[in-house]
Amino acid sequence: MKEIYLDYNATTPVDPRVVEAMIPYLKEHFHNPSSVYSGAKETKKAIEEAREKIASLIGASPKEIIFTGGGSEADNHAIKGVAFAFQEKGKHIITSSIEHHAVLHACQFLEKIGFEVTYLPVDKYGIVHPHSLRKAIRDDTILVTIMMANNEIGTIEPIKELAEVTHEKNVLFHTDAVQAVGKIPVNVKELGVDLLSLSAHKFYGPKGVGALYIRRGVKIHPLIHGGGQERGRRAGTENVAGIVGAGKAAEIAMEEMEEEERKIRPLRDRLERELVKRIPEVIVNGHPEKRLYNTLNICVKYIEGEGMLALLDFYGISASSGSACTSGSLEPSHVLLAIGLPHEIAHGSLRFSFGKYNTDEDVDKVIEVLPGIVERLRAMSPFWREKHEH
Amino acid sequence: MLEYSEKVIEEFMNPKNMGKIEDADGIGKVGNPVCGDVMWIYIKVKDNRIVDIKFQTFGCVAAIATSSKVTQLVMGKTVEEALRITNKAVAEALDGLPPIKMHCSLLAEEGIKAAIEDYMKKQKHKKNKKGGKK
């Protein structure tokens, strides 16, 4: 059975052109970029070319980009790097209640060692409002970190306005743009951010490669100490093939992003329309307009997400859920709770996230099987029966 | 997704005894929608034996599988035998559950016990009523 992959926010398949670009750096160009012999020059050059491509994807200059081992490392580097560098100035950090765990858990770690963190609420669409940020900034605030686009519900935050408010008080602003970069235009200068995290495997690059943009003039502490790679800001022999792949993926994203949106948005919109039409009592989560064009997050009332995922998987459809049961905890998604959904509804969430290899047939298949899956699980649910038999 | 045994998946895909008994002799309602697992167990008792049993469950794959399994384990048993069912027995009958899902088997055990308690309470009530008529 052919897999219908609808979980592109989790990860993407590597574009074949990216694989091609990487192969020489796994084979003949294996040299350590820090070495002095001529063979190493090629690997060093390849890293710098990739850096230029990543920089140009987000409107930065190459010197402002450091490569990391992924999006989570970039987030941790930004947050802990600022915290450790500026703790003399203050120990207060502001973030939102719907961040990725790479941000939330880094903040919680800092709380354990004496920092204070404010978790800003969001509205029912998942938007962080600049006025609530303004009220939260204190004299000892050293960092504001708000994601650009939410991974679960796709809501796009008003980063430019949030960064402006932050800069009025001379505080640094970081954005976790892991879900945004490669999908929508991101320009660090226009947004006015000081730090930005991105991850290659979210836009058809390899896993284990990310980047942190650090605006020129911003000095933060390194996360990983060791050799002098990345101009002393991130030690460790570079993941050359991965970095080359990230660069190639960035180049492709720049050229094809608009075309991808034109292709993907109608698929997502059609699935949303049809599911809402065919399945009673379904809620669509996230902002109606300010939302990633590839993301559809719904809550199907009276049933639980994991059962739906298991049955979808039976038909070869790969999706995800913010239900507790899939995450190994008993609490449903913190994002769905933060937008005000009650627990029992949050447990019934499903996320479909599209990518460039999806087709109309994929959407047809979900439309064909999901209503039956929901009906089957609802037939078992005491709540559905209670509501509809009386 | 979590690693489930083949038996859990099989039970989830083809649950037995799913539904409601309109004139049930005992109903056990356990769990909490906030936690994501709710199980309702209906039993029909004749001559101290469970002659029919059905479940309705809001919950994950493991919750549905354990509901289905526990109803099969106690079907035909005497009330006393059914009360001795343990969550361990339910989990073992499914070739085990992931540790985070063990609470589902506990819910199944509690569901049976709650249904039997409800049955006993109703019996007592009936007896008292009869006694009152004398």
Side-chain angles (χ1 to χ4, degrees), chain A residues 324-336:
Chain A
C325 289
T326 56
S327 61
S329 82
L330 296 179
E331 277 285 302
S333 145
H334 65 285
V335 176
L336 299 179

Side-chain angles (χ1 to χ4, degrees), chain A residues 306 325 328 347 376 380 385, chain B residues 4 13 34 56-57 61 100:
Chain A
E306 194 201 33
C325 289
H347 280 297
R376 181 169 165 178
M380 287 187 218
R385 292 214 163 192
Chain B
Y4 285 122
M13 296 299 286
V34 170
Q56 291 179 331
T57 293
V61 170
I100 187 105

Side-chain angles (χ1 to χ4, degrees), chain B residues 46-67:
Chain B
K46 203 176 172 188
D47 301 330
N48 200 44
R49 234 170 240 290
I50 295 176
V51 292
D52 197 10
I53 181 161
K54 292 237 180 311
F55 79 87
Q56 291 179 331
T57 293
F58 164 83
C60 60
V61 170
I64 289 166
T66 52
S67 307

Side-chain angles (χ1 to χ4, degrees), chain A residues 14 18-27 29-31 33 43 46-47 50 200 205-209 238-248:
Chain A
V14 182
V18 171
V19 176
E20 283 304 309
M22 289 171 71
I23 288 172
Y25 297 91
L26 295 164
K27 288 182 166 174
H29 301 307
F30 65 88
H31 302 89
T43 51
I47 289 173
K207 292 167 187 61
V209 197
E238 298 88 339
N239 172 7
V240 182
I243 289 169
V244 168
K248 185 68 188 175

